[in-house]
């Protein structure tokens, strides 16, 4: 049996000078939720934290060393990473909710 996973994939813009187009690089991570019951709101929050942690590992730091403000590239990267997982997250929750409703009606 395969373990439920959410693939986190997105394009992250590499740092470049304003006059040069930034090359696109891709990154990916897998986030397991095999141990979670996504019909429960508390477990959905755990999944969301896992997705955020995976995105943070793939993206540049929000506040680069020596700076006081968040990097625009890092904020965009995190938003893109979370958005890339959203459809899979929604499907997984719908599946868990449907499975629980079916089990409850028996």
């Amino acid at each position: 049996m395969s373990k439920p996973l959410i693939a986190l994939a997105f394009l992250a813009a590499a740092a470049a000078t304003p006059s040069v187009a930034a090359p696109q690089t891709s990154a990916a991570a897998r986030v397991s939720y095999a141990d979670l019951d996504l019909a429960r709101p508390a477990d959905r929050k755990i999944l969301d934290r896992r997705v955020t942690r995976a995105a943070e590992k793939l993206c540049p730091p929000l506040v680069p060393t020596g700076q006081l403000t968040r990097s625009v590239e890092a904020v965009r990267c995190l938003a893109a990473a979370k958005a890339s997982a959203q459809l899979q997250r929604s499907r997984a929750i719908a599946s868990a909710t449907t499975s629980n409703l079916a089990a409850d009606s028996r």
Side-chain angles (χ1 to χ4, degrees):
M1 180 172 125
S2 65
K3 292 185 179 182
L5 297 171
I6 289 181
L8 193 64
F10 58 95
L11 293 176
T17 60
S19 62
V20 179
Q24 298 291 310
T25 58
S26 62
R30 294 190 181 271
V31 178
S32 176
Y33 58 91
D35 60 324
L36 302 176
D37 176 1
L38 297 182
R40 297 180 53 225
D43 283 1
R44 283 182 245 159
K45 287 182 181 182
I46 292 170
L47 175 61
D48 291 341
R49 284 194 299 267
R50 290 178 185 178
V51 168
T52 298
R53 278 196 304 269
E56 287 171 346
K57 288 180 183 179
L58 295 173
C59 293
L62 279 177
V63 182
T65 305
Q67 293 186 6
L68 298 176
T69 60
R70 290 182 168 201
S71 156
V72 172
E73 292 83 13
V75 171
R76 286 182 183 154
C77 180
L78 284 173
K82 290 179 186 181
S84 75
Q86 188 59 40
L87 179 60
Q88 294 173 72
R89 177 192 180 277
S90 296
R91 286 181 179 163
I93 291 169
S95 176
T97 304
T98 303
S99 295
N100 282 358
L101 289 175
D104 289 345
S105 66
R106 291 183 201 161

